[in-house]
Amino acid sequence: MKRFIQSTDRTQATLFPEQLEDYVAEDNPVRVVDVFVEQLDLGKLGFAGVSPMKTGRPAYHPAVLLKLYIYGYLNRIQS
């Protein structure tokens, strides 16, 4: 995912708690959403922006935005 805005590494050590992954319970549905979206070939599904342009400010990767959209839909959170 080069040329996209990068988030904080989930395994990076932080002050409280030890890792960012510790904030999310093992049985949280967001883990299913994460694994599901990572298995998709977004380019074949017609998502624009999977191949970023070489100029301009980097965008968020479409997989990150799709995860956020699905999580919001599951939790009835409107954007």
Side-chain angles (χ1 to χ4, degrees), residues 26-68:
E26 291 295 323
D27 60 345
N28 193 312
V30 75
R31 294 193 182 272
V32 175
V33 172
D34 184 42
V35 171
F36 173 73
V37 172
E38 289 298 323
Q39 299 300 317
L40 298 175
D41 184 356
L42 298 179
K44 284 186 178 179
L45 293 173
F47 280 78
V50 175
S51 300
M53 296 184 172
K54 298 194 185 307
T55 60
R57 187 177 193 292
Y60 290 99
H61 193 277
V64 173
L65 299 176
L66 180 59
K67 291 174 191 179
L68 183 61

Side-chain angles (χ1 to χ4, degrees), residues 11-31:
T11 59
Q12 175 181 341
T14 59
L15 185 59
F16 304 108
E18 180 72 22
Q19 294 182 345
L20 291 174
E21 283 286 315
D22 296 339
Y23 282 112
V24 182
E26 291 295 323
D27 60 345
N28 193 312
V30 75
R31 294 193 182 272

